[in-house]
Amino acid sequence: MDRKNLIENADDLFGGFEKPIRCTIHDDDCPDCRGHEKTLKKATRKTLSMDDVGTIAWGPVPSMNAPAMSYFLPRLIALAVTKAIDRDGEPYMMRFLNTVLDGPDGERFRLLGDEHKCLIFEVLLYLRAHYYGIIKEDGWDQELAMAINRWGSSK
């Protein structure tokens, strides 16, 4: 599947997920958590930007709960397959790999159906086919192989 079709399919497949009232797994006693919640509240699946996603040191994606992950996944997929770069000059695709590394049985993916899981598997295959050199150079090739295995076995 090509990049354009992956992005369009993600938009269609995940379109049924509504934006949740609460987006993070943390409580509001933590200043960073309040910031993550505020960032995700103002964003939509179409407007979530690399500035919103942040850097490896600070970003809301690791704090997303299952409803937020399901809602924002189309945008995270688009950022990964388009080789988006964060403010530190790092490609987002490695953080995407880290996000999906637990596989479809991870708590944040509990709302996904088989068709969603198959699409994530296709995204991982796309990343391997088009960006393997970058992924290997950054030392994420084993994680990519593990993620492909985990998501592929869910099919």
Side-chain angles (χ1 to χ4, degrees), residues 60-152:
V61 176
S63 299
M64 283 183 184
N65 60 28
M69 182 59 66
S70 301
Y71 174 77
F72 284 110
L73 258 170
R75 185 63 179 149
L76 300 177
I77 287 168
L79 293 172
V81 301
T82 57
K83 204 170 126 183
I85 304 295
D86 70 17
R87 289 179 295 205
D88 292 338
E90 298 296 324
Y92 174 72
M93 72 182 80
M94 272 42 113
R95 294 208 335 257
F96 179 81
L97 287 174
N98 192 47
T99 298
V100 301
L101 189 57
D102 287 344
D105 295 330
E107 170 60 24
R108 295 190 304 164
F109 304 109
R110 66 180 164 77
L111 301 176
L112 303 186
D114 290 341
E115 67 279 2
H116 304 108
K117 294 172 185 177
C118 285
L119 183 71
I120 291 173
F121 178 66
E122 291 293 325
V123 169
L124 293 168
L125 294 178
Y126 180 89
L127 293 175
R128 181 176 67 187
H130 292 86
Y131 302 124
Y132 187 76
I134 296 168
I135 292 167
K136 184 171 175 64
E137 182 179 311
D138 276 12
W140 284 85
D141 50 317
Q142 291 181 353
E143 287 81 0
L144 175 60
M146 285 188 289
I148 288 171
N149 184 48
R150 290 173 181 159
W151 287 93

Side-chain angles (χ1 to χ4, degrees), residues 38-53:
K38 183 178 177 183
T39 296
L40 294 173
K41 285 287 189 195
K42 70 177 176 137
T44 69
R45 80 166 45 102
K46 292 289 186 191
T47 65
L48 187 74
S49 69
M50 281 307 301
D51 281 341
D52 296 329
V53 171

Side-chain angles (χ1 to χ4, degrees), residues 19-39:
K19 187 170 184 183
I21 294 169
R22 177 107 182 134
C23 294
T24 62
I25 57 175
H26 302 293
D27 61 39
D28 289 331
D29 291 337
C30 166
D32 282 344
C33 303
R34 282 194 306 271
H36 295 325
E37 190 70 35
K38 183 178 177 183
T39 296

